[in-house]
Amino acid sequence: GAAVLAANEAYDPATDTWSVRAPMPTPRKGVALAVLNNRIYAIAGHDGAVDVSTVEEYNPATDVWVPKTGLGTTNYRFAAGAVAMNGAVYVFGGCSHLDAVVGRLSTVCDSPRLAWSVDYNSPANSTDEGRSVALDSSGSVYVAGFESRPDLVEDDNWLLRKYSPLGVLEWGVSYNAPASSTDRALSVAVGPSGTVVAVGAELRTDEGQDFNWLIRAYDAVGGPLWTRSYSGAANGEDKAVGVAVDAGGTIYVTGYETDIVEGFNWLTMALAPDGALLWTRSFAGFGASDDRAAAVTVDSSGSLFVVGTSGADGRVIKYDRFGVEQWAQPFGAGANGHAYAVTTDAANSVYVAGVEDIFGQATNWRIRQFSHDGIPGWLSSYDDPAKNLDVAYGIAPDPVGGFIVVGAENRADLTGQFNNWRINRYATDGSLMWGRDYNNPGSNQDYAY
């Protein structure tokens, strides 16, 4: 890993020069600093192997360090905050390294701790999947997906469930289309008024059609408000896969539709809060390529970002709120690369997650940053220790800064395991802050969306 430094340098604004001063006696990173009575106090941190509680005092006038009483053996901490006031130094917060280096990623500050978990098994004891999650302003959690119901002589049924901030189920609704075939909710979002919008697809073989878009809006207690469906002219496979709601309640839905000549094309719709159609936009790549949108997000300025696959690579398109294209960029993941998720932050940077195909490593997670104006920025990737199939499916901003990416990693190197959940937290510069995985007790297939 990178060296942990003890460097101490002074800057003179009058001459615009730097000078080397006496280094800290204890090299460390994540050190807290405070100034009191013309002295600088370096407090705690991480020495490259363990967290430390060391406190050292620096006198700039004499260029001398003096050790001081540490925080104590129960106060090892990293990246704490410090401030001097009324003749004393106050130290706040920080974190301790957990699972520091165990053949995997180091845990960094704000290491996650499980608050709660819930699962759902339908009465049929068959295949049930949660595909999307959203939060409202009170911290309630909405999960969209589907349940397989052969016990009802039905196939997959649309499923939407709401949980309290503590994980207690508040309500759940399901939907079975007239064909009693495959109906799946694939994305969910919550509007500013509390309206819950879920999108997905219903298989309508009863009407001689394939999958149709399905958009359903619910009130805060799960009551239906309105439903909208869409079938393309080809009566082929048409699926809505992503939804976002802006501050004014306008709903943006993206997905794809079948074109007889061009194959699959992207399709994005804007809907009024009551479900009325405002506009539609489509995108077709070169020739009869496989073009499928995968996700959509809207930022604080009302700009819309849609990502997906176009031919052999991913693509990012920005629209304004009226559906006018502002720019488009390739994801740059090469052959078999796909963009699956997108989010923005308070600075309106755009972050896209998906996969890249690397020779000798199968597929890796790929996360790429773009400026609000479409200029490609940093690039980050993740490859599991087995160098097997890894896919990033979801991304969301972290309220305290940075963002979270979720997906799957194939851990065939671990006896009896296959695909495991993977959750990584990144800083806004793309550096990995921590990573966690989950393998269910049956060591079977686990995917995080």
Side-chain angles (χ1 to χ4, degrees), residues 22 27 66 105 116 167 179-180 196 209 232 263 282 306 309 319 325 369 379 391 401 422:
V66 176
L105 299 170
W116 52 262
S180 288
V196 184
Q209 300 172 355
S282 61
V306 182
T309 299
Y319 298 96
E325 183 178 316
Q369 181 258 350
L379 174 67
V391 182
R422 183 70 187 182

Side-chain angles (χ1 to χ4, degrees), residues 351-442:
Y351 305 98
V352 183
V355 296
E356 59 185 359
D357 196 351
I358 303 297
F359 179 76
Q361 300 179 7
T363 59
N364 291 349
W365 287 24
R366 181 182 180 90
I367 301 101
R368 190 162 197 183
Q369 181 258 350
F370 296 86
S371 73
H372 199 255
D373 296 324
I375 300 172
W378 53 258
L379 174 67
S380 180
S381 62
Y382 170 73
D383 181 31
D384 77 86
K387 296 190 179 301
N388 217 316
L389 296 169
D390 308 308
V391 182
Y393 288 116
I395 189 170
D398 188 327
V400 299
F403 53 95
I404 308 292
V405 182
V406 303
E409 59 177 355
N410 188 300
R411 294 306 304 272
D413 57 317
L414 301 176
T415 303
Q417 296 187 19
F418 296 97
N419 289 310
N420 291 350
W421 280 33
R422 183 70 187 182
I423 306 170
N424 285 354
R425 181 187 178 199
Y426 295 87
T428 54
D429 64 359
S431 58
L432 181 63
M433 301 183 71
W434 52 254
R436 284 291 181 270
D437 55 20
Y438 168 75
N439 175 45
N440 79 68

Side-chain angles (χ1 to χ4, degrees), residues 278-301:
L278 300 177
W279 52 257
T280 65
R281 297 293 181 268
S282 61
F283 166 74
F286 180 75
S289 59
D290 186 354
D291 306 307
R292 305 192 199 199
V296 60
T297 194
V298 60
D299 69 12
S300 59
S301 70

Side-chain angles (χ1 to χ4, degrees), residues 123-390:
N125 285 322
S126 191
T127 301
D128 313 306
E129 295 186 17
R131 284 297 188 92
S132 178
V133 62
L135 300 177
D136 65 18
S137 58
S138 67
S140 293
V141 181
Y142 301 81
V143 182
F146 55 91
E147 59 178 351
S148 184
R149 296 304 304 269
D151 58 317
L152 301 177
V153 197
E154 298 169 358
D155 201 338
D156 293 341
N157 285 353
W158 172 292
L159 187 64
L160 177 66
R161 292 165 72 86
K162 178 185 178 181
Y163 297 89
S164 75
L166 298 178
V168 178
L169 179 65
E170 296 192 354
W171 52 259
V173 294
S174 62
Y175 169 75
N176 176 44
S180 288
S181 192
T182 304
D183 312 307
R184 296 179 172 182
L186 300 175
S187 186
V188 62
V190 183
S193 65
T195 298
V196 184
V197 183
V199 306
E202 59 179 350
L203 186 58
R204 295 305 304 269
T205 53
D206 57 314
E207 295 186 352
Q209 300 172 355
D210 202 303
F211 282 103
N212 289 349
W213 280 40
L214 186 62
I215 308 166
R216 295 170 67 87
Y218 304 85
D219 62 25
V221 294
L225 295 175
W226 51 262
T227 297
R228 189 178 188 94
S229 62
Y230 171 78
S231 176
N235 280 333
E237 180 181 324
D238 310 313
K239 289 185 177 181
V241 297
V243 61
V245 185
D246 70 16
T250 300
I251 301 159
Y252 302 96
V253 185
T254 199
Y256 57 89
E257 64 176 339
T258 300
D259 183 273
I260 296 175
V261 177
E262 297 176 339
F264 292 115
N265 289 344
W266 292 25
L267 182 64
T268 302
M269 294 182 180
L271 306 176
D274 63 358
L277 180 64
L278 300 177
W279 52 257
T280 65
R281 297 293 181 268
S282 61
F283 166 74
F286 180 75
S289 59
D290 186 354
D291 306 307
R292 305 192 199 199
V296 60
T297 194
V298 60
D299 69 12
S300 59
S301 70
S303 296
L304 189 68
F305 300 89
V306 182
V307 302
T309 299
S310 178
D313 194 7
R315 192 167 184 85
V316 188
I317 299 178
K318 175 186 175 182
Y319 298 96
D320 68 15
R321 69 185 65 198
F322 304 108
V324 178
E325 183 178 316
Q326 304 298 296
W327 53 259
Q329 287 282 11
F331 189 38
N336 299 315
H338 303 281
Y340 287 134
V342 60
T343 194
T344 61
D345 62 15
N348 285 336
S349 286
V350 184
Y351 305 98
V352 183
V355 296
E356 59 185 359
D357 196 351
I358 303 297
F359 179 76
Q361 300 179 7
T363 59
N364 291 349
W365 287 24
R366 181 182 180 90
I367 301 101
R368 190 162 197 183
Q369 181 258 350
F370 296 86
S371 73
H372 199 255
D373 296 324
I375 300 172
W378 53 258
L379 174 67
S380 180
S381 62
Y382 170 73
D383 181 31
D384 77 86
K387 296 190 179 301
N388 217 316
L389 296 169
D390 308 308

